[in-house]
Amino acid sequence: MAGSMKVLVGCKRVIDYAVKIRVRPDKMGVVTDGVKHSMNPFDEIAVEEAIRLREKKIAGELIAVSCGPKECGETLRTALAMGFDRGIHVEINDRQLYETLTPLHIAKIFAKLVEKEKPGLVILGKQAIDGDCNQTGQMLAGLLKWPQASFTSKLSIDGDWAHITREVDGGLENIKVALPAVVTADLRLNEPRYATLPNIMKAKKKPVDKVDPEQLGVDLSPRIHIIKVEDPPVREAGVKVDNVDELIDRLKNEAGVI
Amino acid sequence: MIGLSSTVHYSMWTTYSSRLRHIGRNYVRSKKAVRSPLDTLYIISRATFSHSATSGDYGTVTDDFQRSLAAAIGDKHVIDSQAIREQHSHDESHHSAVLPELVALPATTEEVSAVLRLCNEFRVPVVPWGTGTGLEGGSIPVRGGVVMDLAQRMTNIVSINESDFDATVEPGVTRVRLNQELRATGLWFPIDPGADASVCGMAATSASGTNAVRYQTMRHNVLNLQAVLADGTVMETNGNSRSRKTSAGFDLTGLFVGSEGCLAAITRATVRLHPVAESAVAAVCGFPTVAAAVDAATVVMQSAIPVAKIEFMDSEMVDAVNNYSGLEHAVVPTLFFEFHGSETAVAEDSRRTREVVSEFEAIAFDVASEPDARARLWKARHNALYACKAARPGVRYIMTDVCVPISRLSECLTRTKSDILESGIPGPIVGHVGDGNFHVVLLVDQSDADEMDRARGVIERMCRLAIGMEGTCTGEHGIGIGKQRFLEAEVGIGSLETMRLIKRTLDPNNILNPGKVLALS
């Protein structure tokens, strides 16, 4: 008997974590053309967790969502190859608009999709490795007025409740939240499976619905204005001094820190 | 033997051909001098010996040499600091560290070629360096000179061909990184020697590992190598070809795989990728005796059950692992299995294996199919080496391996185990029994000369025993420093002399990783 809970998971397309990031010559962003992209690692963990819920016969239909240009279709195919049933691609082709999207925009998009799809659980990665905002899940919960469980490192579902272990600064926190809820996945929640060739082939035939954000009624006008993007300052070589007096002198007069 | 010259790249032979022509004229023309091919080999190798720089005939690392290196690859990439030299003075074996005089960090194949050319010109020994994770001292610069660290700056994944199942990488790419890069493709690089080693380094040592029983070793998974010879000549051993099969020319790829840096520096490797298994199931079972466990493994192999992994651990190893990883395996000789394939196939493989092991009084047969449960099962095996180190804190380990035909494995392993017990040295055993291969981890107090002697005795007897059983003194780790004395007994004088001839031909000044694999006389 398969589970009946629909699960919605966000899959952001980001620059692959192994790539060395370079600032664009116009200093308004980073170089993305021709650079390897992949699914945000925390989103992979979210995808894996949803699949495990279905294997435990708790989840039923698994839906992957991605917002962005047409290449996001590839990101969705990865989720489908890992075992998801269908994808929703919220198409945003205007490059400048895409670059100024913030978690609040995304949370609003997801809120509209949740209204339509009515999932019993939404799992997002705790943060994206490009923005590092760590806001989307929390904002989505706020917009939906749903309970939230962020930094989840352990998840188990028991009827209408989800038992969560969260990784917090002080250690581990055990809570339970009523479903439906928004969960954000932390690193140690699971280890994502590798896609297999037969599943990659099957995924090509799974449906991906395209959605226009305007149809959803979400206003994507920029809420931020990018002023400048720069490399961090180049690390300078350390300086050796001969004695303590010289050290004090240079700290005082050159570095100006004492 | 002179015929050898005409098949190799021309530019190399402008240096060597004059010498060989001289020798050839004197020996090959005179029919009386040549009684058999073997004599020719011996005569030529003896003749080249007097022209080559074998023991002690090296140049020193002078300021002039260092300046030339710096001019070729940049001042800050020729390093003489103590700390960096120390990092490049030892691998993960028990062999003593030896400091190189310089560490060079080339960034491109052209720079590697320049470095080698200079080392050859100045007759300075040079060791190509990957991740320094070898287990037989193969990358220790025993004659000093230069360690050429290829992994630091040559870190590109040159290409991944998903549709052809191959990938080309530079020396700085390790196997874990390659697999991470492949994670969304449905393909993987299955050779797993334990350490997160450089893929090119794995080619140089013909690495193997737990998956070899199904996916074979580097010998079968390298399609092409970009190699730089001692005089700086650059070649692609298979040229432009990514073909999965070829009958074109001599197998130079095979020659360099496993050559441990003695014939060429590897600057690029094209390796075979394999489809990720649709599903995987792991199983563990204990046995009352070592013989029962190994016999069971042998029968599993002989029943043609396509296991993906089949690993043996003796009681000492299981005990160490339980203590270290907090596991609760029964402290008995144990087999770990993994099956790869479709869900029905792995269920069938698992069922057939259960039947086989029950005939050998298997104590339990625990199966795990969930990824987490499987990972927990294999944690025991992965942490084996660290568990051993923790079992006798403060002492170094001497880890070594042999490999015999499967039909001789049971006898070889049980006899080696009793020898270890007699020696009184803790020596847990772990083995890739599907290949007839097992590793012994001797936990020796290196400050105790008597213990060290006994340990050496164990290794000597183990290697001689394996060779006597038509096996090899090194299944996976390579000859490196310590096993050179077994090479002749294992491969025979004809083979050894041919290897010496090839070495002298490709590296007449013996600058490439001298003192490893084979003694030149």
Side-chain angles (χ1 to χ4, degrees):
Chain A
M1 192 195 82
S4 53
M5 187 173 71
K6 212 190 249 190
V7 180
L8 200 80
V9 173
C11 306
K12 187 176 182 186
R13 176 177 182 265
V14 297
I15 296 179
D16 188 86
Y17 69 82
V19 168
K20 192 165 154 66
I21 306 290
R22 284 176 302 133
V23 174
R24 279 205 320 245
D26 67 0
K27 295 209 181 223
M28 291 295 283
V30 297
V31 176
T32 54
D33 286 336
V35 169
K36 179 171 187 206
H37 284 65
S38 44
M39 194 190 301
N40 181 34
F42 296 107
D43 298 347
E44 280 179 352
I45 293 172
V47 166
E48 173 67 23
E49 196 62 22
I51 295 173
R52 290 190 187 190
L53 284 175
R54 188 181 47 204
E55 284 169 353
K56 289 188 199 136
K57 313 256 195 279
I58 294 168
E61 193 185 9
L62 303 180
I63 307 167
V65 178
S66 194
C67 308
K70 68 170 174 17
E71 290 87 358
C72 291
E74 286 160 27
T75 314
L76 287 171
R77 292 285 162 208
T78 306
L80 296 173
M82 282 168 78
F84 267 49
D85 300 302
R86 70 182 158 94
I88 297 176
H89 180 189
V90 179
E91 249 191 311
I92 298 156
N93 288 313
D94 182 332
R95 198 200 186 129
Q96 279 192 324
L97 196 63
Y98 180 59
E99 279 175 11
T100 54
L101 284 185
T102 60
L104 187 54
H105 293 119
I106 303 295
K108 287 181 178 176
I109 291 174
F110 269 73
K112 292 287 182 193
L113 291 173
V114 164
E115 265 175 49
K116 237 179 60 172
E117 297 284 346
K118 304 196 194 337
L121 181 64
V122 174
I123 314 180
L124 304 178
K126 71 170 179 181
Q127 66 198 62
I129 60 170
D130 50 8
D132 274 331
C133 293
N134 178 14
Q135 295 168 357
T136 311
Q138 292 89 327
M139 287 177 170
L140 176 61
L143 290 170
L144 294 172
K145 300 206 198 311
W146 278 15
Q148 59 175 273
S150 50
F151 312 112
T152 304
S153 64
K154 206 150 162 204
L155 168 67
S156 66
I157 310 264
D158 179 19
D160 293 324
W161 292 90
H163 297 270
I164 308 273
T165 302
R166 305 177 63 222
E167 290 195 6
V168 296
D169 287 343
L172 297 174
E173 184 186 37
N174 293 316
I175 59 172
K176 71 177 189 190
V177 293
L179 297 174
V182 175
V183 169
T184 76
D186 208 327
L187 188 65
R188 277 162 282 274
L189 180 56
N190 61 50
E191 193 158 334
R193 65 196 59 202
Y194 290 112
T196 64
L197 281 176
N199 287 342
I200 291 173
M201 292 293 151
K202 271 188 239 163
K204 293 189 181 163
K205 304 199 188 101
K206 290 185 183 173
V208 173
D209 303 319
K210 296 226 177 157
V211 172
D212 186 346
E214 267 183 42
Q215 278 177 357
L216 293 175
V218 175
D219 177 12
L220 295 184
S221 6
R223 304 177 71 89
I224 58 167
H225 171 54
I226 297 175
I227 299 171
K228 192 162 59 162
V229 175
E230 279 186 326
D231 276 308
V234 174
R235 245 188 98 175
E236 284 174 22
V239 171
K240 280 191 186 163
V241 295
D242 285 328
N243 52 54
V244 175
D245 291 323
E246 196 189 332
L247 175 65
I248 295 176
D249 177 53
R250 293 181 83 160
L251 282 174
K252 198 189 243 178
N253 299 320
E254 270 180 50
V257 293
I258 53 168
Chain B
M1 284 305 117
I2 299 305
L4 196 66
S5 65
S6 57
T7 60
V8 189
H9 194 281
Y10 175 74
S11 68
M12 188 175 93
W13 289 100
T14 50
T15 335
Y16 309 162
S17 56
S18 48
R19 184 184 306 129
L20 277 159
R21 253 182 278 135
H22 165 76
I23 297 160
R25 213 174 292 129
N26 289 333
Y27 292 99
V28 175
R29 273 191 195 170
S30 152
K31 289 207 176 128
K32 280 195 210 137
V34 178
R35 278 158 296 170
S36 81
L38 216 58
D39 285 339
T40 317
L41 265 172
Y42 181 72
I43 289 162
I44 291 175
S45 64
R46 294 285 296 152
T48 28
F49 169 68
S50 60
H51 291 273
S52 69
T54 47
S55 48
D57 191 13
Y58 289 116
T60 46
V61 173
T62 56
D63 285 340
D64 195 24
F65 172 72
Q66 190 165 348
R67 265 195 301 275
S68 311
L69 267 189
I73 66 175
D75 210 26
K76 58 181 190 137
H77 302 127
V78 179
I79 302 174
D80 57 12
S81 73
Q82 181 81 2
I84 305 289
R85 287 161 65 208
E86 271 172 11
Q87 283 173 5
H88 294 85
S89 66
H90 66 90
D91 61 7
E92 298 198 351
S93 71
H94 65 284
H95 293 285
S96 317
V98 177
L99 283 177
E101 271 119 303
L102 295 173
V103 176
L105 307 179
T108 62
T109 306
E110 290 68 38
E111 287 189 4
V112 172
S113 173
V115 170
L116 289 182
R117 240 180 295 125
L118 281 168
C119 290
N120 198 27
E121 188 190 312
F122 284 78
R123 296 188 177 215
V124 172
V126 54
V127 179
W129 180 278
T131 44
T133 46
L135 291 163
E136 295 287 341
S139 45
I140 297 178
V142 294
R143 304 271 166 91
V146 176
V147 165
M148 185 172 59
D149 187 334
L150 300 168
Q152 285 260 10
R153 299 175 68 212
M154 298 177 72
T155 57
N156 290 321
I157 294 178
V158 176
S159 66
I160 292 180
N161 294 294
E162 285 174 49
S163 27
D164 295 318
F165 294 13
D166 66 62
T168 301
V169 296
E170 289 186 345
V173 177
T174 64
R175 61 172 190 89
V176 170
R177 177 162 158 225
L178 178 57
N179 276 326
Q180 280 167 352
E181 192 76 13
L182 294 169
R183 67 193 188 277
T185 61
L187 299 171
W188 71 314
F189 177 66
I191 323 260
D192 177 3
D196 185 17
S198 147
V199 171
C200 291
M202 287 167 65
T205 51
S206 186
S208 175
T210 47
N211 296 314
V213 66
R214 173 80 164 256
Y215 299 97
Q216 300 184 293
T217 72
M218 287 301 276
R219 271 194 209 285
H220 315 91
N221 283 287
V222 177
L223 291 171
N224 202 348
L225 289 175
Q226 184 183 70
V228 185
L229 300 178
D231 69 350
T233 307
V234 179
M235 72 167 79
E236 316 277 338
T237 54
N238 251 10
N240 236 354
S241 175
R242 279 187 304 113
S243 173
R244 285 166 75 90
K245 315 195 292 193
T246 176
S247 322
F250 297 166
D251 184 10
L252 292 181
T253 308
L255 175 64
F256 292 128
V257 171
S259 60
E260 301 190 49
C262 298
L263 297 180
I266 295 172
T267 49
R268 245 183 220 192
T270 303
V271 293
R272 254 184 237 284
L273 304 174
H274 296 254
V276 171
E278 257 187 78
S279 73
V281 159
V284 192
C285 61
F287 293 84
T289 61
V290 168
V294 181
D295 287 339
T298 309
V299 173
V300 166
M301 293 306 296
Q302 289 168 343
S303 309
I305 298 174
V307 288
K309 291 199 235 256
I310 173 170
E311 296 286 296
F312 166 79
M313 281 170 55
D314 70 355
S315 320
E316 278 74 16
M317 188 63 90
V318 176
D319 193 37
V321 154
N322 278 347
N323 290 332
Y324 180 75
S325 303
L327 299 166
E328 281 163 11
H329 292 291
V331 182
V332 290
T334 306
L335 286 181
F336 292 78
F337 297 93
E338 192 160 284
F339 309 102
H340 289 177
S342 68
E343 277 189 35
T344 39
V346 298
E348 173 71 10
D349 293 342
S350 177
R351 186 192 62 75
R352 283 172 65 199
T353 303
R354 187 195 289 267
E355 271 174 27
V356 168
V357 301
S358 59
E359 286 165 31
F360 290 90
E361 301 161 67
I363 290 168
F365 190 79
D366 297 323
V367 177
S369 45
E370 305 295 319
D372 284 343
R374 262 193 293 128
R376 232 177 300 122
L377 262 183
W378 281 106
K379 195 171 137 186
R381 174 65 186 83
H382 281 142
N383 291 340
L385 190 57
Y386 300 115
C388 289
K389 283 159 91 162
R392 196 178 173 194
V395 308
R396 284 279 300 169
Y397 58 88
I398 300 181
M399 177 155 145
T400 192
D401 80 315
V402 295
C403 190
V404 294
I406 296 179
S407 57
R408 308 299 308 270
L409 178 63
S410 190
E411 191 193 338
C412 189
L413 212 160
T414 41
R415 278 172 68 178
T416 301
K417 184 147 170 76
S418 359
D419 194 33
I420 293 171
L421 285 170
E422 253 186 67
S423 74
I425 301 172
I429 296 181
V430 64
H432 312 307
V433 290
D435 301 310
N437 178 212
F438 65 94
H439 301 255
V440 169
V441 185
L442 290 172
L443 302 169
V444 197
D445 182 358
Q446 298 201 318
S447 61
D448 182 339
D450 181 58
E451 241 187 68
M452 281 299 285
D453 267 336
R454 279 182 283 141
R456 279 190 213 104
V458 166
I459 294 173
E460 177 87 22
R461 287 187 291 278
M462 179 172 144
C463 291
R464 296 275 174 212
L465 183 65
I467 292 171
M469 291 183 168
E470 301 176 279
T472 169
C473 65
T474 173
E476 302 189 312
H477 295 174
I479 294 285
I481 293 175
K483 290 193 170 172
Q484 293 177 55
R485 64 187 185 279
F486 303 118
L487 195 53
E488 185 175 335
E490 180 173 328
V491 302
I493 188 67
S495 179
L496 184 58
E497 283 298 333
T498 309
M499 290 184 196
R500 287 177 173 149
L501 186 71
I502 292 172
K503 168 69 172 174
R504 288 200 182 97
T505 305
L506 294 179
D507 180 18
N509 294 324
N510 193 19
I511 56 156
L512 287 175
N513 206 6
K516 310 291 170 56
V517 183
L518 42 73
L520 277 173
S521 53

